[in-house]
């Protein structure tokens, strides 16, 4: 307090305070300034975040959502419902609240609906890729093992938007740290497909998911986790106890199904293709833990012996399996298991490998692919489409072309069924662990409104899938329109 103020108080004279810091008027002014600064910081931060995401192509780009209380009616169309192997006419598609609520006769829909005229084009359900790696698809192996994990996730977000724009409205992620990406998409912060996550791929030591370098061996109890383990790409687990622990960790994080490595692979350098990985008891541990949560296990596997062991353990989805013999294929059919199979043909769209050993393994798998499709269909095995584009920055764009290749083995609509209605049945094995409520892969009353409009005729060929930029005219996911060029 100043001397003059003290003298005034002592004399009983009302002081004149030259410092107005505590005055009500000053406090009010300070409150207004602080509120304005807070608002500016908030807006600036929001702009920075949105700008960052927009710069990477991650910002939400849906053109419009449904008007609350007002349905959307797609009309003037021919549609494939995902199940019936023929194009249907004479009906419209009514969408309300993110779901298909009816298939009224043409012209019989509600008068107050927002009408989308499809111009006589082909309409299909949103496509489903049952074997995708959303975090690992668009980057190289070197980048995946060495780059900052934040950059890896940003690249995954960019690729997620491109995936949706190819017409794949749902993917089953069969291994990788995808839980955060899924959450961002579901909350509308990032554009992308629905994701059924597996989390980290479970692998035995020396298995297909063991990416450690030889100079890190032997591992001791005090060693830190390998980068791929700490990042959530893979989880090395040996013995029943560890398999149970790692399975439960993925379920805790939100896995809709569990992925195990049951045999050798092409991309990994230390596990020969003919090896059988995980003992029966270890496999059963994963199956039992998943079943306790109401879901299932899918397994990376190629060889007959390993396939038979998977089926004995209760694995519900065989991933790849191109080297299956007749007995293994019949066993899949008898067990009512699913065969998530990819058109591995060692062609221009195949994952690229510089290692001669990997190239030899790739050729061996490709030689079994044609027979696998033919024999699987002959035995009546449940078959669903997947691509498994992996660590291949230029390969993701081939996703639709990979599906079109299935018309080599079956009719175009049968091939399309594998990526719609059949794939939706496979996803339904997740039961209560499914992240989404409602049928997928079908155009039917009550199904989720994931709908595509194409230039092309699915009854005669699927070549139009190779050019979604020009041929895919409308992308709707959950009733929201993300692309419309009708």
């Amino acid at each position: 307090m100043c001397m003059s103020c003290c003298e005034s108080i002592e004399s009983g004279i009302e002081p004149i305070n030259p410092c107005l810091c505590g005055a009500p008027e000053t406090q009010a002014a300070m409150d207004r300034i602080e509120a304005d600064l807070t608002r500016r910081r908030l807006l600036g931060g929001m702009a920075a975040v949105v700008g960052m995401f927009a710069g990477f192509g991650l910002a939400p780009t849906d053109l419009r959502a449904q008007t609350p209380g007002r349905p959307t009616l797609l009309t003037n169309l021919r549609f494939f419902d995902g199940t019936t192997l023929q194009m249907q006419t004479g009906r419209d598609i009514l969408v309300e609240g993110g779901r298909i609520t009816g298939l009224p006769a043409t012209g019989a829909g509600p008068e107050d609906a927002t009408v989308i005229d499809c111009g006589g084009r082909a309409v299909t359900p949103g496509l489903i890729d049952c074997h995708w790696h959303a975090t690992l698809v668009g980057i190289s192996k070197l980048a995946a093992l060495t780059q900052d994990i934040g950059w890896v996730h940003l690249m995954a977000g960019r690729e997620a938007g491109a995936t949706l724009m190819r017409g794949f409205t749902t993917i089953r992620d069969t291994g990788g740290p995808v839980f955060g990406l899924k959450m961002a998409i579901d909350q509308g912060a990032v554009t992308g497909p629905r994701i059924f996550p597996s989390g980290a791929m479970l692998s035995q030591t020396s298995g297909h998911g063991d990416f450690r370098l030889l100079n890190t061996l032997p591992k001791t109890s005090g060693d830190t986790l390998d980068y791929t383990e700490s990042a959530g790409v893979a989880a090395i687990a040996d013995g029943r106890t560890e398999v149970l622990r790692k399975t439960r960790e993925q379920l805790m994080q939100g896995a809709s199904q569990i992925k195990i490595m049951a045999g050798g692979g092409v991309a990994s350098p230390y596990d020969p293709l003919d090896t059988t990985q995980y003992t029966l008891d270890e496999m059963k541990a994963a199956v039992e833990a998943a079943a306790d949560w109401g879901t299932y296990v899918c397994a990376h596997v190629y060889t007959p012996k390993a396939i038979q062991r998977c089926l004995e353990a209760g694995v519900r989805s065989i991933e790849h399996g191109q080297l299956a013999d007749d007995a293994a294929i019949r066993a899949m059919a008898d067990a009512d298991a699913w065969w998530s199979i990819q058109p591995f043909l060692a062609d221009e769209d195949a994952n690229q490998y510089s290692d001669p050993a990997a190239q030899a393994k790739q050729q061996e798998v490709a030689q079994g692919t044609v027979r696998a499709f033919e024999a699987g269909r002959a035995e009546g095995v449940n078959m669903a489409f997947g691509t498994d584009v992996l660590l291949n920055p230029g390969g993701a764009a081939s996703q639709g072309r990979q599906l079109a290749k299935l018309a080599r083995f079956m009719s175009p609509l049968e091939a399309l069924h594998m990526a719609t209605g059949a794939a939706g049945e496979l996803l339904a094995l997740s039961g209560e662990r499914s992240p989404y409520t409602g049928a997928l892969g079908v155009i039917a009353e009550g199904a989720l409104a994931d709908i595509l409009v194409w230039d092309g005729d699915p009854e005669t060929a699927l070549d139009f899938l190779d050019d979604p930029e020009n041929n895919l005219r409308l992308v709707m996911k959950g009733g929201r329109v993300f692309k419309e060029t009708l």
Side-chain angles (χ1 to χ4, degrees), residues 364-380:
E364 184 179 353
V365 169
Q367 290 168 8
T369 295
V370 175
R371 180 186 176 280
F373 273 102
E374 293 173 348
R377 296 183 66 239
E379 286 290 343

mmCIF file of all heavy atoms in Angstrom, residues 364-380:
data_model
loop_
_atom_site.group_PDB
_atom_site.id
_atom_site.type_symbol
_atom_site.label_atom_id
_atom_site.label_comp_id
_atom_site.label_asym_id
_atom_site.label_seq_id
_atom_site.Cartn_x
_atom_site.Cartn_y
_atom_site.Cartn_z
ATOM 1 N N GLU A 364 4.649 -70.324 -54.974
ATOM 2 C CA GLU A 364 4.014 -71.560 -54.518
ATOM 3 C C GLU A 364 2.555 -71.323 -54.123
ATOM 4 O O GLU A 364 1.670 -72.114 -54.463
ATOM 5 C CB GLU A 364 4.788 -72.126 -53.329
ATOM 6 C CG GLU A 364 4.262 -73.468 -52.830
ATOM 7 C CD GLU A 364 5.071 -74.025 -51.668
ATOM 8 O OE1 GLU A 364 6.131 -73.431 -51.328
ATOM 9 O OE2 GLU A 364 4.649 -75.043 -51.092
ATOM 10 N N VAL A 365 2.313 -70.216 -53.430
ATOM 11 C CA VAL A 365 0.940 -69.878 -53.047
ATOM 12 C C VAL A 365 0.095 -69.593 -54.279
ATOM 13 O O VAL A 365 -1.056 -70.044 -54.388
ATOM 14 C CB VAL A 365 0.937 -68.678 -52.083
ATOM 15 C CG1 VAL A 365 -0.482 -68.149 -51.888
ATOM 16 C CG2 VAL A 365 1.542 -69.069 -50.746
ATOM 17 N N ALA A 366 0.651 -68.843 -55.227
ATOM 18 C CA ALA A 366 -0.097 -68.490 -56.432
ATOM 19 C C ALA A 366 -0.511 -69.730 -57.215
ATOM 20 O O ALA A 366 -1.616 -69.794 -57.778
ATOM 21 C CB ALA A 366 0.740 -67.559 -57.309
ATOM 22 N N GLN A 367 0.348 -70.731 -57.243
ATOM 23 C CA GLN A 367 0.029 -71.962 -57.977
ATOM 24 C C GLN A 367 -1.152 -72.704 -57.366
ATOM 25 O O GLN A 367 -1.858 -73.434 -58.063
ATOM 26 C CB GLN A 367 1.264 -72.860 -58.017
ATOM 27 C CG GLN A 367 2.384 -72.325 -58.914
ATOM 28 C CD GLN A 367 3.692 -73.054 -58.737
ATOM 29 O OE1 GLN A 367 3.760 -74.080 -58.045
ATOM 30 N NE2 GLN A 367 4.757 -72.539 -59.343
ATOM 31 N N GLY A 368 -1.359 -72.505 -56.075
ATOM 32 C CA GLY A 368 -2.485 -73.170 -55.426
ATOM 33 C C GLY A 368 -3.773 -72.375 -55.445
ATOM 34 O O GLY A 368 -4.837 -72.903 -55.111
ATOM 35 N N THR A 369 -3.707 -71.103 -55.855
ATOM 36 C CA THR A 369 -4.876 -70.230 -55.751
ATOM 37 C C THR A 369 -6.032 -70.684 -56.631
ATOM 38 O O THR A 369 -7.186 -70.765 -56.183
ATOM 39 C CB THR A 369 -4.481 -68.778 -56.088
ATOM 40 O OG1 THR A 369 -3.569 -68.299 -55.105
ATOM 41 C CG2 THR A 369 -5.702 -67.881 -56.132
ATOM 42 N N VAL A 370 -5.755 -70.972 -57.905
ATOM 43 C CA VAL A 370 -6.832 -71.347 -58.825
ATOM 44 C C VAL A 370 -7.529 -72.606 -58.344
ATOM 45 O O VAL A 370 -8.770 -72.674 -58.292
ATOM 46 C CB VAL A 370 -6.274 -71.537 -60.251
ATOM 47 C CG1 VAL A 370 -7.366 -72.040 -61.181
ATOM 48 C CG2 VAL A 370 -5.692 -70.227 -60.781
ATOM 49 N N ARG A 371 -6.753 -73.615 -57.972
ATOM 50 C CA ARG A 371 -7.349 -74.854 -57.483
ATOM 51 C C ARG A 371 -8.146 -74.614 -56.203
ATOM 52 O O ARG A 371 -9.217 -75.220 -56.007
ATOM 53 C CB ARG A 371 -6.257 -75.882 -57.218
ATOM 54 C CG ARG A 371 -6.813 -77.203 -56.701
ATOM 55 C CD ARG A 371 -5.712 -78.177 -56.301
ATOM 56 N NE ARG A 371 -6.303 -79.377 -55.730
ATOM 57 C CZ ARG A 371 -6.743 -79.473 -54.479
ATOM 58 N NH1 ARG A 371 -6.646 -78.432 -53.677
ATOM 59 N NH2 ARG A 371 -7.280 -80.601 -54.039
ATOM 60 N N ALA A 372 -7.663 -73.745 -55.328
ATOM 61 C CA ALA A 372 -8.355 -73.482 -54.071
ATOM 62 C C ALA A 372 -9.749 -72.916 -54.322
ATOM 63 O O ALA A 372 -10.731 -73.343 -53.699
ATOM 64 C CB ALA A 372 -7.532 -72.520 -53.221
ATOM 65 N N PHE A 373 -9.856 -71.959 -55.226
ATOM 66 C CA PHE A 373 -11.174 -71.397 -55.532
ATOM 67 C C PHE A 373 -12.095 -72.471 -56.114
ATOM 68 O O PHE A 373 -13.263 -72.589 -55.712
ATOM 69 C CB PHE A 373 -11.036 -70.239 -56.514
ATOM 70 C CG PHE A 373 -10.784 -68.911 -55.860
ATOM 71 C CD1 PHE A 373 -9.511 -68.368 -55.834
ATOM 72 C CD2 PHE A 373 -11.811 -68.208 -55.272
ATOM 73 C CE1 PHE A 373 -9.263 -67.142 -55.236
ATOM 74 C CE2 PHE A 373 -11.585 -66.978 -54.672
ATOM 75 C CZ PHE A 373 -10.302 -66.447 -54.653
ATOM 76 N N GLU A 374 -11.580 -73.241 -57.048
ATOM 77 C CA GLU A 374 -12.418 -74.244 -57.704
ATOM 78 C C GLU A 374 -12.854 -75.335 -56.738
ATOM 79 O O GLU A 374 -14.034 -75.704 -56.678
ATOM 80 C CB GLU A 374 -11.653 -74.843 -58.887
ATOM 81 C CG GLU A 374 -11.403 -73.845 -60.013
ATOM 82 C CD GLU A 374 -10.508 -74.409 -61.108
ATOM 83 O OE1 GLU A 374 -9.908 -75.486 -60.887
ATOM 84 O OE2 GLU A 374 -10.399 -73.771 -62.179
ATOM 85 N N ALA A 375 -11.922 -75.862 -55.950
ATOM 86 C CA ALA A 375 -12.247 -76.944 -55.033
ATOM 87 C C ALA A 375 -13.126 -76.459 -53.887
ATOM 88 O O ALA A 375 -14.038 -77.173 -53.440
ATOM 89 C CB ALA A 375 -10.962 -77.563 -54.483
ATOM 90 N N GLY A 376 -12.877 -75.258 -53.400
ATOM 91 C CA GLY A 376 -13.689 -74.720 -52.311
ATOM 92 C C GLY A 376 -15.135 -74.540 -52.713
ATOM 93 O O GLY A 376 -16.052 -74.870 -51.947
ATOM 94 N N ARG A 377 -15.352 -74.045 -53.904
ATOM 95 C CA ARG A 377 -16.727 -73.875 -54.382
ATOM 96 C C ARG A 377 -17.394 -75.224 -54.628
ATOM 97 O O ARG A 377 -18.575 -75.413 -54.348
ATOM 98 C CB ARG A 377 -16.738 -73.030 -55.660
ATOM 99 C CG ARG A 377 -16.246 -71.609 -55.434
ATOM 100 C CD ARG A 377 -16.333 -70.764 -56.698
ATOM 101 N NE ARG A 377 -17.718 -70.553 -57.096
ATOM 102 C CZ ARG A 377 -18.229 -70.922 -58.259
ATOM 103 N NH1 ARG A 377 -17.467 -71.554 -59.150
ATOM 104 N NH2 ARG A 377 -19.487 -70.674 -58.543
ATOM 105 N N ALA A 378 -16.625 -76.188 -55.147
ATOM 106 C CA ALA A 378 -17.192 -77.511 -55.408
ATOM 107 C C ALA A 378 -17.628 -78.198 -54.129
ATOM 108 O O ALA A 378 -18.637 -78.923 -54.117
ATOM 109 C CB ALA A 378 -16.163 -78.373 -56.146
ATOM 110 N N GLU A 379 -16.898 -77.976 -53.036
ATOM 111 C CA GLU A 379 -17.237 -78.600 -51.754
ATOM 112 C C GLU A 379 -18.274 -77.804 -50.970
ATOM 113 O O GLU A 379 -18.735 -78.247 -49.921
ATOM 114 C CB GLU A 379 -15.975 -78.773 -50.904
ATOM 115 C CG GLU A 379 -15.054 -79.876 -51.369
ATOM 116 C CD GLU A 379 -15.628 -81.276 -51.144
ATOM 117 O OE1 GLU A 379 -16.584 -81.409 -50.349
ATOM 118 O OE2 GLU A 379 -15.125 -82.223 -51.777
ATOM 119 N N GLY A 380 -18.624 -76.621 -51.448
ATOM 120 C CA GLY A 380 -19.621 -75.808 -50.766
ATOM 121 C C GLY A 380 -19.114 -75.118 -49.515
ATOM 122 O O GLY A 380 -19.892 -74.839 -48.590
#
